[in-house]
PDB file of all heavy atoms in Angstrom:
ATOM      1  N   ARG A 258     -44.909  42.100-187.297  1.00 96.00           N
ATOM      2  CA  ARG A 258     -45.040  40.625-186.919  1.00 96.00           C
ATOM      3  C   ARG A 258     -46.555  40.574-186.277  1.00 96.00           C
ATOM      4  O   ARG A 258     -46.818  39.664-185.508  1.00 96.00           O
ATOM      5  CB  ARG A 258     -44.156  40.301-185.798  1.00 96.00           C
ATOM      6  CG  ARG A 258     -42.765  40.087-186.446  1.00 96.00           C
ATOM      7  CD  ARG A 258     -42.522  38.822-187.126  1.00 96.00           C
ATOM      8  NE  ARG A 258     -41.320  38.951-187.934  1.00 96.00           N
ATOM      9  CZ  ARG A 258     -40.730  38.041-188.562  1.00 96.00           C
ATOM     10  NH1 ARG A 258     -41.439  36.801-188.608  1.00 96.00           N
ATOM     11  NH2 ARG A 258     -39.653  38.050-189.268  1.00 96.00           N
ATOM     12  N   SER A 260     -49.472  39.463-187.458  1.00 98.00           N
ATOM     13  CA  SER A 260     -50.169  38.210-187.777  1.00 98.00           C
ATOM     14  C   SER A 260     -49.706  37.170-186.804  1.00 98.00           C
ATOM     15  O   SER A 260     -50.440  36.378-186.317  1.00 98.00           O
ATOM     16  CB  SER A 260     -49.998  37.835-189.231  1.00 98.00           C
ATOM     17  OG  SER A 260     -50.601  38.769-189.985  1.00 98.00           O
ATOM     18  N   GLN A 261     -48.311  37.051-186.611  1.00 98.00           N
ATOM     19  CA  GLN A 261     -47.831  35.923-185.808  1.00 98.00           C
ATOM     20  C   GLN A 261     -48.102  36.150-184.366  1.00 98.00           C
ATOM     21  O   GLN A 261     -48.617  35.134-183.728  1.00 98.00           O
ATOM     22  CB  GLN A 261     -46.182  35.903-185.820  1.00 98.00           C
ATOM     23  CG  GLN A 261     -45.629  35.324-187.219  1.00 98.00           C
ATOM     24  CD  GLN A 261     -45.869  36.293-188.311  1.00 98.00           C
ATOM     25  OE1 GLN A 261     -45.802  37.398-188.204  1.00 98.00           O
ATOM     26  NE2 GLN A 261     -46.210  35.617-189.481  1.00 98.00           N
ATOM     27  N   ARG A 269     -56.998  35.604-186.602  1.00 97.00           N
ATOM     28  CA  ARG A 269     -56.452  35.766-187.959  1.00 97.00           C
ATOM     29  C   ARG A 269     -56.770  37.242-188.436  1.00 97.00           C
ATOM     30  O   ARG A 269     -57.940  37.726-188.414  1.00 97.00           O
ATOM     31  CB  ARG A 269     -57.317  34.789-188.813  1.00 97.00           C
ATOM     32  CG  ARG A 269     -56.680  34.573-190.263  1.00 97.00           C
ATOM     33  CD  ARG A 269     -57.492  33.275-190.713  1.00 97.00           C
ATOM     34  NE  ARG A 269     -57.352  33.278-192.187  1.00 97.00           N
ATOM     35  CZ  ARG A 269     -56.356  32.575-192.824  1.00 97.00           C
ATOM     36  NH1 ARG A 269     -55.518  31.813-192.128  1.00 97.00           N
ATOM     37  NH2 ARG A 269     -56.374  32.558-194.180  1.00 97.00           N
ATOM     38  N   LEU A 270     -55.753  37.900-188.769  1.00 98.00           N
ATOM     39  CA  LEU A 270     -55.961  39.383-189.066  1.00 98.00           C
ATOM     40  C   LEU A 270     -56.022  39.653-190.542  1.00 98.00           C
ATOM     41  O   LEU A 270     -55.615  38.952-191.364  1.00 98.00           O
ATOM     42  CB  LEU A 270     -54.654  40.098-188.573  1.00 98.00           C
ATOM     43  CG  LEU A 270     -54.268  40.032-187.012  1.00 98.00           C
ATOM     44  CD1 LEU A 270     -53.229  40.901-186.682  1.00 98.00           C
ATOM     45  CD2 LEU A 270     -55.574  40.554-186.304  1.00 98.00           C
ATOM     46  N   PRO A 271     -56.634  40.884-190.781  1.00 98.00           N
ATOM     47  CA  PRO A 271     -56.724  41.267-192.205  1.00 98.00           C
ATOM     48  C   PRO A 271     -55.461  41.991-192.686  1.00 98.00           C
ATOM     49  O   PRO A 271     -55.486  43.089-193.167  1.00 98.00           O
ATOM     50  CB  PRO A 271     -57.968  42.329-192.164  1.00 98.00           C
ATOM     51  CG  PRO A 271     -57.859  42.914-190.845  1.00 98.00           C
ATOM     52  CD  PRO A 271     -57.375  41.781-189.971  1.00 98.00           C
ATOM     53  N   GLU A 273     -51.467  41.589-194.605  1.00 97.00           N
ATOM     54  CA  GLU A 273     -50.514  40.880-195.474  1.00 97.00           C
ATOM     55  C   GLU A 273     -49.234  41.795-195.271  1.00 97.00           C
ATOM     56  O   GLU A 273     -49.317  42.900-195.495  1.00 97.00           O
ATOM     57  CB  GLU A 273     -50.939  40.708-196.754  1.00 97.00           C
ATOM     58  CG  GLU A 273     -50.133  39.836-197.650  1.00 97.00           C
ATOM     59  CD  GLU A 273     -50.745  39.470-198.985  1.00 97.00           C
ATOM     60  OE1 GLU A 273     -51.569  38.563-199.155  1.00 97.00           O
ATOM     61  OE2 GLU A 273     -50.408  40.221-199.957  1.00 97.00           O
ATOM     62  N   SER A 274     -48.100  41.087-195.050  1.00 97.00           N
ATOM     63  CA  SER A 274     -46.871  41.796-194.869  1.00 97.00           C
ATOM     64  C   SER A 274     -46.034  41.929-196.171  1.00 97.00           C
ATOM     65  O   SER A 274     -45.925  40.980-196.857  1.00 97.00           O
ATOM     66  CB  SER A 274     -45.950  41.133-193.878  1.00 97.00           C
ATOM     67  OG  SER A 274     -46.614  41.070-192.521  1.00 97.00           O
ATOM     68  N   ASP A 317     -42.512  46.463-203.122  1.00 94.00           N
ATOM     69  CA  ASP A 317     -42.085  45.565-204.159  1.00 94.00           C
ATOM     70  C   ASP A 317     -43.299  44.612-204.645  1.00 94.00           C
ATOM     71  O   ASP A 317     -43.291  44.056-205.627  1.00 94.00           O
ATOM     72  CB  ASP A 317     -41.097  44.593-203.530  1.00 94.00           C
ATOM     73  CG  ASP A 317     -39.642  45.020-203.779  1.00 94.00           C
ATOM     74  OD1 ASP A 317     -39.460  46.252-203.656  1.00 94.00           O
ATOM     75  OD2 ASP A 317     -38.776  44.222-203.835  1.00 94.00           O
ATOM     76  N   PHE A 318     -44.370  44.688-203.960  1.00 94.00           N
ATOM     77  CA  PHE A 318     -45.768  44.244-204.391  1.00 94.00           C
ATOM     78  C   PHE A 318     -45.909  42.687-204.094  1.00 94.00           C
ATOM     79  O   PHE A 318     -46.910  42.153-204.570  1.00 94.00           O
ATOM     80  CB  PHE A 318     -45.995  44.542-205.929  1.00 94.00           C
ATOM     81  CG  PHE A 318     -46.423  45.918-206.056  1.00 94.00           C
ATOM     82  CD1 PHE A 318     -45.527  46.817-206.872  1.00 94.00           C
ATOM     83  CD2 PHE A 318     -47.438  46.532-205.434  1.00 94.00           C
ATOM     84  CE1 PHE A 318     -45.858  48.187-207.077  1.00 94.00           C
ATOM     85  CE2 PHE A 318     -47.846  47.920-205.563  1.00 94.00           C
ATOM     86  CZ  PHE A 318     -47.050  48.546-206.367  1.00 94.00           C
ATOM     87  N   ALA A 320     -45.785  39.588-200.982  1.00 97.00           N
ATOM     88  CA  ALA A 320     -45.756  39.335-199.543  1.00 97.00           C
ATOM     89  C   ALA A 320     -44.202  38.973-199.194  1.00 97.00           C
ATOM     90  O   ALA A 320     -43.701  38.232-199.762  1.00 97.00           O
ATOM     91  CB  ALA A 320     -46.735  38.268-199.079  1.00 97.00           C
ATOM     92  N   SER A 321     -43.665  39.631-198.096  1.00 97.00           N
ATOM     93  CA  SER A 321     -42.305  39.483-197.667  1.00 97.00           C
ATOM     94  C   SER A 321     -42.045  39.824-196.334  1.00 97.00           C
ATOM     95  O   SER A 321     -42.537  40.816-195.831  1.00 97.00           O
ATOM     96  CB  SER A 321     -41.333  40.198-198.512  1.00 97.00           C
ATOM     97  OG  SER A 321     -40.083  40.196-198.151  1.00 97.00           O
ATOM     98  N   TYR A 322     -41.254  38.941-195.691  1.00 97.00           N
ATOM     99  CA  TYR A 322     -40.690  39.390-194.307  1.00 97.00           C
ATOM    100  C   TYR A 322     -39.151  39.482-194.370  1.00 97.00           C
ATOM    101  O   TYR A 322     -38.443  39.404-193.404  1.00 97.00           O
ATOM    102  CB  TYR A 322     -41.064  38.338-193.244  1.00 97.00           C
ATOM    103  CG  TYR A 322     -42.401  38.238-192.854  1.00 97.00           C
ATOM    104  CD1 TYR A 322     -43.460  37.544-193.514  1.00 97.00           C
ATOM    105  CD2 TYR A 322     -42.782  38.929-191.725  1.00 97.00           C
ATOM    106  CE1 TYR A 322     -44.708  37.394-193.056  1.00 97.00           C
ATOM    107  CE2 TYR A 322     -44.141  38.836-191.302  1.00 97.00           C
ATOM    108  CZ  TYR A 322     -45.099  38.101-191.933  1.00 97.00           C
ATOM    109  OH  TYR A 322     -46.374  38.017-191.583  1.00 97.00           O
ATOM    110  N   ALA A 323     -38.610  39.658-195.546  1.00 95.00           N
ATOM    111  CA  ALA A 323     -37.259  39.529-195.766  1.00 95.00           C
ATOM    112  C   ALA A 323     -36.386  40.790-195.294  1.00 95.00           C
ATOM    113  O   ALA A 323     -35.295  40.822-195.098  1.00 95.00           O
ATOM    114  CB  ALA A 323     -36.822  39.318-197.150  1.00 95.00           C
ATOM    115  N   ARG A 325     -35.663  43.047-197.020  1.00 92.00           N
ATOM    116  CA  ARG A 325     -34.878  43.592-198.093  1.00 92.00           C
ATOM    117  C   ARG A 325     -35.677  43.330-199.419  1.00 92.00           C
ATOM    118  O   ARG A 325     -36.619  42.446-199.300  1.00 92.00           O
ATOM    119  CB  ARG A 325     -33.487  42.854-198.248  1.00 92.00           C
ATOM    120  CG  ARG A 325     -33.657  41.362-198.424  1.00 92.00           C
ATOM    121  CD  ARG A 325     -32.366  40.701-198.427  1.00 92.00           C
ATOM    122  NE  ARG A 325     -32.468  39.276-198.268  1.00 92.00           N
ATOM    123  CZ  ARG A 325     -32.934  38.473-199.351  1.00 92.00           C
ATOM    124  NH1 ARG A 325     -33.192  38.980-200.392  1.00 92.00           N
ATOM    125  NH2 ARG A 325     -33.020  37.248-199.141  1.00 92.00           N
ATOM    126  N   GLU A 332     -34.432  49.637-209.593  1.00 96.00           N
ATOM    127  CA  GLU A 332     -34.342  50.252-210.892  1.00 96.00           C
ATOM    128  C   GLU A 332     -35.483  51.298-211.132  1.00 96.00           C
ATOM    129  O   GLU A 332     -35.224  52.376-211.714  1.00 96.00           O
ATOM    130  CB  GLU A 332     -34.305  49.093-211.957  1.00 96.00           C
ATOM    131  CG  GLU A 332     -34.120  49.716-213.366  1.00 96.00           C
ATOM    132  CD  GLU A 332     -34.170  48.437-214.391  1.00 96.00           C
ATOM    133  OE1 GLU A 332     -34.916  47.471-214.150  1.00 96.00           O
ATOM    134  OE2 GLU A 332     -33.506  48.598-215.309  1.00 96.00           O
ATOM    135  N   GLN A 432     -57.502  44.898-201.969  1.00 91.00           N
ATOM    136  CA  GLN A 432     -56.347  44.085-202.154  1.00 91.00           C
ATOM    137  C   GLN A 432     -55.140  44.744-201.256  1.00 91.00           C
ATOM    138  O   GLN A 432     -54.904  45.902-201.429  1.00 91.00           O
ATOM    139  CB  GLN A 432     -55.964  44.040-203.561  1.00 91.00           C
ATOM    140  CG  GLN A 432     -55.041  42.914-203.988  1.00 91.00           C
ATOM    141  CD  GLN A 432     -54.710  42.841-205.438  1.00 91.00           C
ATOM    142  OE1 GLN A 432     -55.662  42.834-206.301  1.00 91.00           O
ATOM    143  NE2 GLN A 432     -53.472  42.724-205.918  1.00 91.00           N
ATOM    144  N   HIS A 433     -54.490  43.808-200.552  1.00 93.00           N
ATOM    145  CA  HIS A 433     -53.591  44.285-199.484  1.00 93.00           C
ATOM    146  C   HIS A 433     -52.372  45.235-200.107  1.00 93.00           C
ATOM    147  O   HIS A 433     -52.010  46.157-199.515  1.00 93.00           O
ATOM    148  CB  HIS A 433     -53.056  43.222-198.754  1.00 93.00           C
ATOM    149  CG  HIS A 433     -53.964  42.393-197.862  1.00 93.00           C
ATOM    150  ND1 HIS A 433     -54.919  41.549-198.527  1.00 93.00           N
ATOM    151  CD2 HIS A 433     -54.357  42.540-196.707  1.00 93.00           C
ATOM    152  CE1 HIS A 433     -55.668  41.018-197.535  1.00 93.00           C
ATOM    153  NE2 HIS A 433     -55.311  41.572-196.337  1.00 93.00           N
TER     154      HIS A 433
ATOM    155  N   MET B   4     -35.254  37.823-209.056  1.00 91.00           N
ATOM    156  CA  MET B   4     -36.130  36.796-208.630  1.00 91.00           C
ATOM    157  C   MET B   4     -36.711  36.177-209.856  1.00 91.00           C
ATOM    158  O   MET B   4     -37.442  36.684-210.665  1.00 91.00           O
ATOM    159  CB  MET B   4     -37.289  37.315-207.783  1.00 91.00           C
ATOM    160  CG  MET B   4     -37.992  36.353-206.840  1.00 91.00           C
ATOM    161  SD  MET B   4     -38.701  37.106-205.400  1.00 91.00           S
ATOM    162  CE  MET B   4     -40.316  37.563-205.996  1.00 91.00           C
ATOM    163  N   ARG B  16     -39.099  38.126-212.578  1.00 94.00           N
ATOM    164  CA  ARG B  16     -40.282  38.565-211.814  1.00 94.00           C
ATOM    165  C   ARG B  16     -41.072  39.764-212.462  1.00 94.00           C
ATOM    166  O   ARG B  16     -42.243  39.890-212.177  1.00 94.00           O
ATOM    167  CB  ARG B  16     -39.764  39.020-210.450  1.00 94.00           C
ATOM    168  CG  ARG B  16     -40.704  39.609-209.416  1.00 94.00           C
ATOM    169  CD  ARG B  16     -40.621  41.025-209.380  1.00 94.00           C
ATOM    170  NE  ARG B  16     -41.513  41.735-208.569  1.00 94.00           N
ATOM    171  CZ  ARG B  16     -42.826  41.957-208.816  1.00 94.00           C
ATOM    172  NH1 ARG B  16     -43.234  41.526-210.088  1.00 94.00           N
ATOM    173  NH2 ARG B  16     -43.684  42.648-208.028  1.00 94.00           N
ATOM    174  N   ARG B  17     -40.391  40.564-213.254  1.00 95.00           N
ATOM    175  CA  ARG B  17     -41.044  41.692-213.865  1.00 95.00           C
ATOM    176  C   ARG B  17     -42.074  41.289-214.858  1.00 95.00           C
ATOM    177  O   ARG B  17     -42.895  42.230-215.235  1.00 95.00           O
ATOM    178  CB  ARG B  17     -39.963  42.638-214.543  1.00 95.00           C
ATOM    179  CG  ARG B  17     -39.298  43.603-213.573  1.00 95.00           C
ATOM    180  CD  ARG B  17     -38.282  44.346-214.244  1.00 95.00           C
ATOM    181  NE  ARG B  17     -37.059  43.538-214.137  1.00 95.00           N
ATOM    182  CZ  ARG B  17     -35.797  44.056-214.252  1.00 95.00           C
ATOM    183  NH1 ARG B  17     -35.661  45.339-214.173  1.00 95.00           N
ATOM    184  NH2 ARG B  17     -34.883  43.252-214.175  1.00 95.00           N
ATOM    185  N   TYR B  20     -47.612  39.861-212.457  1.00 97.00           N
ATOM    186  CA  TYR B  20     -48.359  40.505-211.552  1.00 97.00           C
ATOM    187  C   TYR B  20     -48.736  39.692-210.353  1.00 97.00           C
ATOM    188  O   TYR B  20     -49.151  38.654-210.527  1.00 97.00           O
ATOM    189  CB  TYR B  20     -49.572  41.012-212.222  1.00 97.00           C
ATOM    190  CG  TYR B  20     -50.699  41.685-211.383  1.00 97.00           C
ATOM    191  CD1 TYR B  20     -50.487  43.022-211.109  1.00 97.00           C
ATOM    192  CD2 TYR B  20     -51.664  40.952-210.839  1.00 97.00           C
ATOM    193  CE1 TYR B  20     -51.419  43.641-210.239  1.00 97.00           C
ATOM    194  CE2 TYR B  20     -52.733  41.509-210.039  1.00 97.00           C
ATOM    195  CZ  TYR B  20     -52.490  42.929-209.716  1.00 97.00           C
ATOM    196  OH  TYR B  20     -53.450  43.489-208.920  1.00 97.00           O
ATOM    197  N   TYR B  21     -48.548  40.319-209.136  1.00 97.00           N
ATOM    198  CA  TYR B  21     -48.892  39.606-207.860  1.00 97.00           C
ATOM    199  C   TYR B  21     -50.240  39.963-207.404  1.00 97.00           C
ATOM    200  O   TYR B  21     -50.515  41.117-207.220  1.00 97.00           O
ATOM    201  CB  TYR B  21     -47.809  39.892-206.822  1.00 97.00           C
ATOM    202  CG  TYR B  21     -48.097  39.441-205.422  1.00 97.00           C
ATOM    203  CD1 TYR B  21     -47.739  38.225-204.943  1.00 97.00           C
ATOM    204  CD2 TYR B  21     -48.864  40.202-204.552  1.00 97.00           C
ATOM    205  CE1 TYR B  21     -47.993  37.723-203.734  1.00 97.00           C
ATOM    206  CE2 TYR B  21     -49.117  39.770-203.294  1.00 97.00           C
ATOM    207  CZ  TYR B  21     -48.735  38.453-202.867  1.00 97.00           C
ATOM    208  OH  TYR B  21     -48.961  38.109-201.617  1.00 97.00           O
ATOM    209  N   LEU B  22     -51.132  38.916-207.175  1.00 96.00           N
ATOM    210  CA  LEU B  22     -52.427  39.193-206.594  1.00 96.00           C
ATOM    211  C   LEU B  22     -52.477  39.195-205.122  1.00 96.00           C
ATOM    212  O   LEU B  22     -52.894  40.139-204.479  1.00 96.00           O
ATOM    213  CB  LEU B  22     -53.401  38.312-207.218  1.00 96.00           C
ATOM    214  CG  LEU B  22     -54.882  38.465-206.755  1.00 96.00           C
ATOM    215  CD1 LEU B  22     -55.486  39.780-207.171  1.00 96.00           C
ATOM    216  CD2 LEU B  22     -55.788  37.418-207.160  1.00 96.00           C
ATOM    217  N   ASP B  26     -55.450  32.019-200.875  1.00 94.00           N
ATOM    218  CA  ASP B  26     -56.788  32.071-200.307  1.00 94.00           C
ATOM    219  C   ASP B  26     -57.749  32.451-201.357  1.00 94.00           C
ATOM    220  O   ASP B  26     -59.102  32.126-201.356  1.00 94.00           O
ATOM    221  CB  ASP B  26     -56.782  32.984-199.217  1.00 94.00           C
ATOM    222  CG  ASP B  26     -55.924  32.688-198.020  1.00 94.00           C
ATOM    223  OD1 ASP B  26     -54.743  32.391-198.291  1.00 94.00           O
ATOM    224  OD2 ASP B  26     -56.282  32.572-196.820  1.00 94.00           O
ATOM    225  N   HIS B  45     -60.367  39.446-196.890  1.00 97.00           N
ATOM    226  CA  HIS B  45     -59.470  40.206-196.049  1.00 97.00           C
ATOM    227  C   HIS B  45     -58.507  39.410-195.178  1.00 97.00           C
ATOM    228  O   HIS B  45     -57.491  39.855-194.892  1.00 97.00           O
ATOM    229  CB  HIS B  45     -60.441  41.040-195.142  1.00 97.00           C
ATOM    230  CG  HIS B  45     -61.326  41.814-195.932  1.00 97.00           C
ATOM    231  ND1 HIS B  45     -62.696  41.888-195.701  1.00 97.00           N
ATOM    232  CD2 HIS B  45     -61.197  42.769-196.979  1.00 97.00           C
ATOM    233  CE1 HIS B  45     -63.332  42.776-196.524  1.00 97.00           C
ATOM    234  NE2 HIS B  45     -62.464  43.236-197.335  1.00 97.00           N
ATOM    235  N   ARG B  47     -55.963  36.914-193.560  1.00 97.00           N
ATOM    236  CA  ARG B  47     -54.858  36.140-194.053  1.00 97.00           C
ATOM    237  C   ARG B  47     -54.032  35.507-193.032  1.00 97.00           C
ATOM    238  O   ARG B  47     -53.946  36.054-192.025  1.00 97.00           O
ATOM    239  CB  ARG B  47     -53.889  37.116-194.903  1.00 97.00           C
ATOM    240  CG  ARG B  47     -54.666  37.702-196.129  1.00 97.00           C
ATOM    241  CD  ARG B  47     -54.818  36.645-197.246  1.00 97.00           C
ATOM    242  NE  ARG B  47     -55.578  37.041-198.365  1.00 97.00           N
ATOM    243  CZ  ARG B  47     -56.945  36.879-198.589  1.00 97.00           C
ATOM    244  NH1 ARG B  47     -57.579  36.307-197.733  1.00 97.00           N
ATOM    245  NH2 ARG B  47     -57.400  37.324-199.729  1.00 97.00           N
ATOM    246  N   GLY B  48     -53.530  34.244-193.371  1.00 97.00           N
ATOM    247  CA  GLY B  48     -52.637  33.641-192.388  1.00 97.00           C
ATOM    248  C   GLY B  48     -51.228  34.450-192.440  1.00 97.00           C
ATOM    249  O   GLY B  48     -50.601  34.516-191.296  1.00 97.00           O
ATOM    250  N   ASN B  49     -50.866  34.973-193.519  1.00 98.00           N
ATOM    251  CA  ASN B  49     -49.797  35.822-193.599  1.00 98.00           C
ATOM    252  C   ASN B  49     -48.448  35.143-192.913  1.00 98.00           C
ATOM    253  O   ASN B  49     -47.837  35.914-192.078  1.00 98.00           O
ATOM    254  CB  ASN B  49     -50.123  37.209-192.854  1.00 98.00           C
ATOM    255  CG  ASN B  49     -49.014  38.287-193.243  1.00 98.00           C
ATOM    256  OD1 ASN B  49     -48.361  38.186-194.205  1.00 98.00           O
ATOM    257  ND2 ASN B  49     -49.021  39.284-192.325  1.00 98.00           N
ATOM    258  N   PRO B  50     -48.026  34.068-193.420  1.00 97.00           N
ATOM    259  CA  PRO B  50     -46.952  33.369-192.755  1.00 97.00           C
ATOM    260  C   PRO B  50     -45.603  33.975-192.993  1.00 97.00           C
ATOM    261  O   PRO B  50     -45.295  34.523-193.978  1.00 97.00           O
ATOM    262  CB  PRO B  50     -46.961  31.939-193.372  1.00 97.00           C
ATOM    263  CG  PRO B  50     -47.536  32.260-194.699  1.00 97.00           C
ATOM    264  CD  PRO B  50     -48.577  33.224-194.569  1.00 97.00           C
ATOM    265  N   ALA B  51     -44.786  33.970-191.901  1.00 97.00           N
ATOM    266  CA  ALA B  51     -43.334  34.302-192.070  1.00 97.00           C
ATOM    267  C   ALA B  51     -42.652  33.028-192.395  1.00 97.00           C
ATOM    268  O   ALA B  51     -42.371  32.314-191.432  1.00 97.00           O
ATOM    269  CB  ALA B  51     -42.841  34.974-190.898  1.00 97.00           C
ATOM    270  N   ARG B  72     -43.425  29.774-202.098  1.00 97.00           N
ATOM    271  CA  ARG B  72     -42.422  30.670-201.970  1.00 97.00           C
ATOM    272  C   ARG B  72     -42.160  30.877-200.413  1.00 97.00           C
ATOM    273  O   ARG B  72     -42.875  30.434-199.631  1.00 97.00           O
ATOM    274  CB  ARG B  72     -42.921  31.936-202.491  1.00 97.00           C
ATOM    275  CG  ARG B  72     -42.078  32.955-203.164  1.00 97.00           C
ATOM    276  CD  ARG B  72     -42.903  34.063-203.792  1.00 97.00           C
ATOM    277  NE  ARG B  72     -43.822  34.666-202.947  1.00 97.00           N
ATOM    278  CZ  ARG B  72     -43.676  35.629-202.140  1.00 97.00           C
ATOM    279  NH1 ARG B  72     -42.577  36.142-201.986  1.00 97.00           N
ATOM    280  NH2 ARG B  72     -44.663  36.126-201.284  1.00 97.00           N
ATOM    281  N   THR B  74     -41.306  33.556-197.675  1.00 97.00           N
ATOM    282  CA  THR B  74     -41.437  35.001-197.502  1.00 97.00           C
ATOM    283  C   THR B  74     -40.287  35.618-196.767  1.00 97.00           C
ATOM    284  O   THR B  74     -40.093  36.841-196.699  1.00 97.00           O
ATOM    285  CB  THR B  74     -42.749  35.495-196.734  1.00 97.00           C
ATOM    286  OG1 THR B  74     -42.797  34.804-195.515  1.00 97.00           O
ATOM    287  CG2 THR B  74     -44.013  35.049-197.585  1.00 97.00           C
ATOM    288  N   VAL B  75     -39.499  34.820-196.136  1.00 97.00           N
ATOM    289  CA  VAL B  75     -38.410  35.276-195.312  1.00 97.00           C
ATOM    290  C   VAL B  75     -37.062  35.344-196.165  1.00 97.00           C
ATOM    291  O   VAL B  75     -36.273  36.177-196.081  1.00 97.00           O
ATOM    292  CB  VAL B  75     -38.066  34.460-193.975  1.00 97.00           C
ATOM    293  CG1 VAL B  75     -36.979  34.888-193.196  1.00 97.00           C
ATOM    294  CG2 VAL B  75     -39.367  34.584-193.076  1.00 97.00           C
ATOM    295  N   THR B  76     -36.883  34.280-197.023  1.00 96.00           N
ATOM    296  CA  THR B  76     -35.732  34.144-197.884  1.00 96.00           C
ATOM    297  C   THR B  76     -35.833  34.633-199.339  1.00 96.00           C
ATOM    298  O   THR B  76     -34.857  34.817-199.993  1.00 96.00           O
ATOM    299  CB  THR B  76     -35.179  32.810-197.901  1.00 96.00           C
ATOM    300  OG1 THR B  76     -36.247  31.977-198.438  1.00 96.00           O
ATOM    301  CG2 THR B  76     -34.858  32.265-196.405  1.00 96.00           C
ATOM    302  N   HIS B  77     -37.204  34.684-199.783  1.00 96.00           N
ATOM    303  CA  HIS B  77     -37.476  35.006-201.224  1.00 96.00           C
ATOM    304  C   HIS B  77     -37.164  33.744-201.990  1.00 96.00           C
ATOM    305  O   HIS B  77     -37.234  33.907-203.238  1.00 96.00           O
ATOM    306  CB  HIS B  77     -36.781  36.192-201.661  1.00 96.00           C
ATOM    307  CG  HIS B  77     -37.435  37.438-201.106  1.00 96.00           C
ATOM    308  ND1 HIS B  77     -36.881  38.752-201.278  1.00 96.00           N
ATOM    309  CD2 HIS B  77     -38.491  37.660-200.428  1.00 96.00           C
ATOM    310  CE1 HIS B  77     -37.353  39.631-200.683  1.00 96.00           C
ATOM    311  NE2 HIS B  77     -38.548  39.040-200.153  1.00 96.00           N
TER     312      HIS B  77
END
Side-chain angles (χ1 to χ4, degrees):
Chain A
R258 292 281 164 175
S260 298
Q261 282 72 37
R269 192 171 162 94
L270 297 184
E273 191 171 270
S274 299
D317 271 33
F318 287 117
S321 170
Y322 285 89
R325 60 180 168 77
E332 183 181 32
Q432 196 176 318
H433 297 79
Chain B
M4 197 155 87
R16 175 260 176 278
R17 273 173 279 207
Y20 170 82
Y21 170 90
L22 177 67
D26 302 45
H45 306 127
R47 294 291 176 260
N49 194 22
R72 217 166 49 83
T74 56
V75 177
T76 63
H77 290 166

